[in-house]
Amino acid sequence: MANVNFLQIGLPALIAVLSLGYLLGSIPFGLILTRMAGHGDLRQIGSGNIGATNVLRTGNKKLAAATLLLDALKATAAAVAAQAVFGANAGLLAGFAAFIGHLFPVWLGFKGGKGVATYIGTLLGVTPLMVAVFAVVWLSIAFITRYSSLSALIATLVIPVVLWITGAEEAAIVTAIMTAVSWWRHKANIERLIAGTESRIGQKG
């Protein structure tokens, strides 16, 4: 696991890394793919979100899977590219910027997705082992509760804790910020979970 000391990144490199991450992260693959497939504007479907969950509401599972993969890989690409050009210290910041870009894409009036895929993609680019931790937690909670949103929320909560325990303090701090932002973006899901009206995995209607 990389020990990411982002405080040592120089200002020019910092600007380049954040710009690269944000621009890659802001590519709205869900919107692009659904339009190419003839489904129209994804923002007019279901929740209006540009992420894979809303793409699934078009009825096209392959399109939703492609959106999930591409939304994750854009963060991974940002992290890997930043590390290759500026060194290992830059990867986490680039992934974080991609996460922010996905949530607040400049091309869509800063109205984007909820960030779970790009969160995972950032982990894949910087600390791949944490992807396995995320997957185990997500699958365990999903099996017990059948709530996709709750599974993602708990998984994002566990990641910073595990990183901190394993000594990756800086990665833990950055992912904790990502977790807080992701929870804020999921506020409507949290309200429905509390009210008992959140849709479960496999539930129709």
Side-chain angles (χ1 to χ4, degrees):
M1 183 184 300
N3 182 17
V4 185
N5 188 353
F6 51 86
L7 296 178
Q8 292 182 355
I9 298 176
L11 182 59
L14 178 63
I15 294 172
V17 164
L18 294 178
S19 298
L20 169 69
Y22 178 82
L23 291 175
L24 281 175
S26 65
I27 300 173
F29 283 114
L31 184 62
I32 294 170
L33 292 177
T34 49
R35 279 183 172 173
M36 290 176 62
H39 293 292
D41 191 335
L42 182 62
R43 294 169 295 180
Q44 304 302 318
I45 299 172
S47 66
N49 192 272
I50 64 169
T53 299
N54 202 39
V55 174
L56 188 60
R57 293 190 174 98
T58 67
N60 193 323
K61 294 181 180 179
K62 291 182 179 179
L63 206 62
T67 299
L68 179 65
L69 180 63
L70 290 172
D71 280 347
L73 290 181
K74 65 187 180 184
T76 304
V80 171
Q83 289 180 97
V85 177
F86 298 107
N89 292 345
L92 184 59
L93 284 180
F96 173 77
F99 171 80
I100 295 298
H102 179 73
L103 269 60
F104 308 105
V106 63
W107 330 111
L108 303 179
F110 303 102
K111 296 178 181 179
K114 296 180 180 178
V116 176
T118 47
Y119 190 113
I120 296 170
T122 299
L123 296 177
L124 181 62
V126 178
T127 175
L129 181 59
M130 290 299 103
V131 177
V133 174
F134 191 104
V136 169
V137 174
W138 192 98
L139 290 170
S140 298
I141 301 302
F143 178 79
I144 295 169
T145 69
R146 292 177 51 235
Y147 285 124
S148 176
S149 58
L150 181 62
S151 302
L153 289 167
I154 294 178
T156 60
L157 197 62
V158 168
I159 292 299
V161 175
V162 174
L163 285 168
W164 186 271
I165 291 173
T166 56
E169 290 88 356
E170 290 170 341
I173 291 170
V174 174
T175 53
I177 295 171
M178 292 168 67
T179 294
V181 175
S182 184
W183 275 58
W184 173 69
R185 291 291 288 173
H186 281 83
K187 58 183 181 295
N189 301 87
I190 294 172
E191 290 172 356
R192 288 194 297 269
L193 285 166
I194 294 173
T197 58
E198 178 74 331
S199 297
R200 294 178 186 266
I201 297 171
Q203 180 177 332
K204 296 182 180 180

